[in-house]
Amino acid sequence: MTTAIDLETQTTDPSSRAGRRGSHALRWWVLAVLGVAQLMVVLDATVVNIALPMAQRDLGFSNGDRQWVVTGYALAFGSLLLLGGRLSDLFGRRNTFLVGLVGFAVASAIGGAANGFEMLVAARVAQGVFGALLAPAALSLLTVTFTEPSERAKAFGIFGAVAGAGGALGLLLGGALTEWASWRWVMYVNLIFAAIAFIGGALLLAKHVSEHRPKLDIPGTITVTAALFGIVYGFSHAESHGWTNGVTLAFLIGGVVLLGLFVWIETRVPHPLLPLRIVLDPTRGASYMTVFVMGIGMFAIFLFLTYYMQLTLGYSPIITGVAFLPMVAGMVLSSTTVPPLVLPKLGPKVTVTAGFIIAAIGMALLTRIGLDTSYVTHILPSLILLGLGLGSAMSPAFQGSTAGVHHEDAGVASAMVNTSQQVGGSIGTALLSTIAASAASQYLTTHGSSSVAMAESAIHSYTTSFWWATAIFLVGAAITAVLMPSTMPALAEGEPVIVH
């Protein structure tokens, strides 16, 4: 009887490879477990945003402190992802996955029970730390579970849909929990997700037996953690203090310098944290760039469109979340149908480039919004196109990011996906927020400060950001068209199999 999927051992036995084709039942249950865990991590990037005002009133912290509830999570998560990915390679993906789930759940419980600002921020930082363990382990488990090309495309499509739609679902869930229960349930709900994923992971994933003593690249780990922290913090600081601020420049320049030092270290240490062969592969490198650019552009959808629907159109948090569902549906549809049907025929270059272009058209259509425009005519078509485009690009990128990677590098290759998305999101947050604020200020300078001008300046700031996001997606299409190969590399030898 099949009892578990061995995700940590390797085989080149042809008979074993043939045998795995008849043993698919548990694979899809594993996908469900990994999907729940990924959804929990992605949700936490947006689900807290809607609950922040209520938490602020309850705990009594200032507007200046409020950003740290979001930034604390982003800093810990973004700066530790590569370390988390390598730990999953060294100590076993199952072990890292389960530890990450438990830690994330405990941190969420502490956050929900927070009696002050410091306790809430500490819990959010802890969530980021354990999320950095959990997210790479989940994607690498998926990588080594689905090795048949047709199944792999479908599985990555579903996983990509979860990763892409999680932000929008976070807005819906955050609005529902805040409106019907309490802001604390935005944190407590993670215990439900974690419990389901932990039970499923403990039952379905085989235990890891290490044949080699784990070795960690300490200099590389310290350097890249500091580099990513500097970059993420620098962009976060730019959002509130400007690009010419001394602290902003110090962290951004320091982060880039440290990143260069990290690359130099990785060429000289015997056991690098991030072997450069992972990112120098054309398919994987272009896939990471795809996720990075998508992370920048997607910020405009969630933040500014949320502002528009709530502050201009007067939607409640729950209605705002529901309004995003057509985009989620489009993303799920394209993520699950395009990779198995289109990717084998057209290849990743055409598929991802087309996805970027469709998303750019959807974003450009959003620039038509005004003070009293209709959801059906001005927002809905854009959301559908954005969902279809993002799903078509993200799913092949998730698949390409680990394609052809060797078994022991699956964790750190998976971590690069999350790192690209997180750093891209941080850049998008700072860049587009700064652009929006500047656009609003310039509009008021030329149109006065009447109540109508104030409202129209907000619309102008949103549409300016949407035009920038459109340009970012078009740049992504151009980069993909140049860098992405037309064919996906073959799977690496030594993929794991189901054991009986």
Side-chain angles (χ1 to χ4, degrees), residues 10-203:
Q10 303 179 55
T11 182
T12 55
D13 181 6
S15 64
S16 296
R17 289 180 175 275
R20 72 186 175 196
R21 293 187 174 88
S23 305
H24 295 295
L26 292 182
R27 290 176 185 262
W28 301 106
W29 284 107
V30 169
L31 174 61
V33 168
L34 300 179
V36 169
Q38 177 71 9
L39 180 62
M40 180 180 71
V41 173
V42 175
L43 281 175
D44 248 59
T46 58
V47 73
V48 172
N49 292 355
I50 287 181
L52 262 182
M54 188 175 290
Q56 184 178 0
R57 287 194 299 269
D58 191 12
L59 300 181
F61 52 87
S62 67
N63 289 336
D65 289 336
R66 183 173 59 189
Q67 66 163 325
W68 287 105
V69 179
V70 177
T71 305
Y73 178 85
L75 285 173
F77 186 62
S79 60
L80 294 174
L81 273 165
L82 283 177
L83 174 59
R86 181 50 85 192
L87 290 177
S88 73
D89 289 329
L90 297 179
F91 298 105
R93 285 173 266 284
R94 177 186 186 270
N95 296 338
T96 309
F97 180 74
L98 296 179
V99 169
L101 283 171
V102 172
F104 202 96
V106 171
S108 299
I110 294 172
N115 57 13
F117 171 72
E118 293 79 7
M119 185 174 176
L120 180 60
V121 171
R124 288 287 288 165
V125 170
Q127 281 184 319
V129 171
F130 287 104
L133 280 179
L134 181 58
L139 183 56
S140 59
L141 284 167
L142 183 71
T143 299
V144 297
T145 300
F146 290 90
T147 57
E148 296 296 326
S150 60
E151 286 192 348
R152 187 182 181 91
K154 185 176 181 180
F156 271 88
I158 295 171
F159 195 82
V162 170
L169 291 175
L171 297 173
L172 174 60
L173 183 62
L177 291 173
T178 303
E179 191 167 322
W180 292 340
S182 160
W183 70 267
R184 297 182 184 277
W185 274 98
V186 168
M187 306 290 282
Y188 288 143
V189 72
N190 290 326
L191 275 69
I192 301 173
F193 288 119
I196 294 171
F198 184 87
I199 293 171
L203 292 176

Side-chain angles (χ1 to χ4, degrees), residues 440-448:
S441 177
Q442 290 175 3
Y443 188 91
L444 290 174
T445 299
T446 56
H447 293 79

Side-chain angles (χ1 to χ4, degrees), residues 8-9 89-95 206-211:
E8 311 294 349
T9 57
D89 289 329
L90 297 179
F91 298 105
R93 285 173 266 284
R94 177 186 186 270
N95 296 338
K207 294 181 179 178
H208 171 56
V209 179
S210 178
E211 298 177 357

Side-chain angles (χ1 to χ4, degrees), residues 115-479:
N115 57 13
F117 171 72
E118 293 79 7
M119 185 174 176
L120 180 60
V121 171
R124 288 287 288 165
V125 170
Q127 281 184 319
V129 171
F130 287 104
L133 280 179
L134 181 58
L139 183 56
S140 59
L141 284 167
L142 183 71
T143 299
V144 297
T145 300
F146 290 90
T147 57
E148 296 296 326
S150 60
E151 286 192 348
R152 187 182 181 91
K154 185 176 181 180
F156 271 88
I158 295 171
F159 195 82
V162 170
L169 291 175
L171 297 173
L172 174 60
L173 183 62
L177 291 173
T178 303
E179 191 167 322
W180 292 340
S182 160
W183 70 267
R184 297 182 184 277
W185 274 98
V186 168
M187 306 290 282
Y188 288 143
V189 72
N190 290 326
L191 275 69
I192 301 173
F193 288 119
I196 294 171
F198 184 87
I199 293 171
L203 292 176
L204 295 174
L205 305 178
K207 294 181 179 178
H208 171 56
V209 179
S210 178
E211 298 177 357
H212 306 285
R213 182 179 179 84
K215 296 178 181 178
L216 191 61
D217 170 19
I218 300 298
T221 299
I222 295 173
T223 305
V224 77
T225 299
L228 292 174
F229 181 92
I231 292 170
V232 173
Y233 181 81
F235 277 105
S236 299
H237 197 267
E239 181 185 358
S240 55
H241 294 81
W243 295 99
T244 57
N245 178 271
V247 175
T248 299
L249 292 174
F251 273 93
L252 288 176
I253 295 172
V256 171
V257 171
L258 286 173
L259 207 55
L261 178 60
F262 169 70
V263 172
W264 180 82
I265 291 173
E266 297 309 274
T267 62
R268 283 157 175 77
V269 294
H271 303 284
L273 176 70
L274 177 64
L276 296 185
R277 61 179 178 272
I278 292 176
V279 295
L280 293 179
D281 175 84
T283 298
R284 290 195 292 270
S287 297
Y288 299 140
M289 185 60 67
T290 296
V291 175
F292 173 74
V293 174
M294 284 287 180
I296 298 175
M298 283 176 66
F299 171 78
I301 308 169
F302 295 132
L303 185 70
F304 296 112
L305 196 52
T306 297
Y307 285 166
Y308 173 67
M309 289 192 285
Q310 289 193 19
L311 301 181
T312 302
L313 300 183
Y315 291 2
S316 69
I318 253 187
I319 296 300
T320 301
V322 171
F324 276 104
L325 289 181
M327 189 185 82
V328 175
M331 195 173 290
V332 171
L333 178 64
S334 59
S335 293
T336 53
T337 57
V338 168
L341 297 178
V342 178
L343 194 59
K345 298 177 182 178
L346 300 181
K349 180 193 289 286
V350 174
T351 305
V352 175
T353 302
F356 267 122
I357 293 172
I358 293 170
I361 294 171
M363 188 67 79
L365 289 177
L366 277 178
T367 61
R368 303 176 301 142
I369 62 172
L371 289 176
D372 56 357
T373 45
S374 165
Y375 172 81
V376 174
T377 58
H378 288 73
I379 300 177
L380 181 60
S382 298
L383 289 177
I384 293 173
L385 286 174
L386 282 164
L388 293 174
L390 292 172
S392 298
M394 287 286 277
S395 181
F398 268 69
Q399 184 174 346
S401 64
T402 54
V405 74
H406 203 266
H407 182 72
E408 68 266 16
D409 292 333
V412 72
S414 302
M416 272 299 297
V417 181
N418 293 281
T419 302
S420 301
Q421 189 173 36
Q422 185 66 30
V423 174
S426 298
I427 291 174
T429 301
L431 177 64
L432 296 177
S433 291
T434 304
I435 289 170
S438 176
S441 177
Q442 290 175 3
Y443 188 91
L444 290 174
T445 299
T446 56
H447 293 79
S449 56
S450 66
S451 58
V452 174
M454 292 286 288
E456 289 177 341
S457 71
I459 300 297
H460 181 64
S461 71
Y462 304 152
T463 55
T464 301
S465 297
F466 294 151
W467 277 124
W468 273 84
T470 300
I472 289 168
F473 284 153
L474 290 176
V475 169
I479 292 173

